[in-house]
Amino acid sequence: MTLLAATRSEYTKQFTTAGWWVLGIVLVVYVAFTAGVLAFVFGGVASGRLTGASGPAMAAEGVPPLIYSSASAVGYVFPLLVGTLMVTTEFRHKTLTPTFLSTPRRGVVLLGKFAVGILVGVLYGILGSLAAIATGAGVLSIFGIDAALTSSDTWVLVGRMLLAFALWAVVGIGVGTVVRNQVAAIVIVLAVTLFIEPIIRTLGGVVEGFGEVVKWFPSAASDALVGQTIFGAMGTAGGGTLEWWAGGLVLLGYAVVLLAIGLLTTWRRDID
């Protein structure tokens, strides 16, 4: 089977099941809610119209990118999950057996997953960006804050978020090749993204010197790639942030390392 055929097969597997669009709906709702809440809080503070607000005042022009970037700041878990599921679902249901019988070159199968994973990641990035911008711009208009939709910086931000979503999908495929058990892989992904990394990154913002370590974490690299996110605005206790291109390379590095480990270990094993 050629790479084109493997990609077509993977595309059929991915888009003929309900999993991708169910996660897509949850992504849109989650990002829209988060962007709406952030726009209400930061927009209210920046405009001075939020009664009783005690947070630090910020320039109104800095609010829109902070709100829109919430798509990747909180939504990156979705391409990460879908990439993981693209691999672990096949191990769980033994569908890799006929795939490997028809395509003995397992690297070709993995390349097909890369292509489709990147496609799904970009699609999720578009959905998340639309949800964040539509909701955020709507709420900001209540406070009379310019949504900056005609600014080139806004669309550069969106382009970087699409790249981040695509890279997270590839990282997810790497996780799936290393951790074959689907339940274990999902638990690890959710535990790291929703609990471990946020806690450690919060500590990095208050513990002197710890920010130098935290900025190399996957989510911190993703934030650096995007350029402005909630965690990035909090700072990292003197550690600073990576350049946007360096953040992208670090995130890609995580994907490459995970995939290399998977190729050398679990991907070569027999399907049990």
Side-chain angles (χ1 to χ4, degrees), residues 21-31 78:
W21 61 260
V22 170
L23 280 176
I25 292 174
V26 178
L27 165 66
V28 169
V29 173
Y30 184 41
V31 169
F78 292 91

Side-chain angles (χ1 to χ4, degrees), residues 59-70:
E61 59 269 19
V63 173
L66 188 66
I67 304 307
Y68 303 154
S69 64
S70 63

Side-chain angles (χ1 to χ4, degrees), residues 184-272:
I186 292 174
V187 170
I188 290 172
V189 166
L190 294 179
V192 170
T193 58
L194 300 182
F195 298 102
I196 297 175
E197 275 206 298
I199 292 173
I200 295 178
R201 292 189 66 188
T202 300
L203 292 175
V206 297
V207 178
E208 187 66 31
F210 196 36
E212 284 291 346
V213 177
V214 171
K215 70 180 182 181
W216 298 99
F217 279 35
S219 60
S222 178
D223 287 352
L225 168 60
V226 172
Q228 183 170 359
T229 60
I230 301 170
F231 273 109
M234 291 172 58
T236 52
T241 58
L242 300 171
E243 294 290 335
W244 73 268
W245 55 268
L249 289 177
V250 169
L251 194 57
L252 177 61
Y254 276 101
V256 170
V257 169
L258 287 169
L259 289 167
I261 294 173
L263 282 171
L264 294 174
T265 56
T266 59
W267 201 247
R268 291 185 174 184
R269 299 176 188 170
D270 292 335
I271 308 301
D272 48 23

Side-chain angles (χ1 to χ4, degrees), residues 46-120:
S47 66
R49 294 171 58 185
L50 186 58
T51 304
S54 58
M58 61 186 307
E61 59 269 19
V63 173
L66 188 66
I67 304 307
Y68 303 154
S69 64
S70 63
S72 62
V74 302
Y76 73 91
V77 65
F78 292 91
L80 179 59
L81 270 176
V82 80
T84 303
L85 292 173
M86 285 176 64
V87 181
T88 57
T89 297
E90 297 228 59
F91 280 118
R92 180 179 181 182
H93 296 291
K94 305 297 190 295
T95 53
L96 270 181
T97 300
T99 299
F100 285 161
L101 288 174
S102 61
T103 312
R105 297 172 60 189
R106 299 188 177 190
V108 173
V109 176
L110 202 55
L111 287 175
K113 289 186 181 296
F114 291 166
V116 176
I118 291 172
L119 174 63
V120 177

Side-chain angles (χ1 to χ4, degrees), residues 131-155:
I133 291 174
T135 307
V139 175
L140 290 178
S141 67
I142 298 174
F143 298 103
I145 296 178
D146 181 15
L149 296 180
T150 58
S151 171
S152 60
D153 291 340
T154 297
W155 301 108

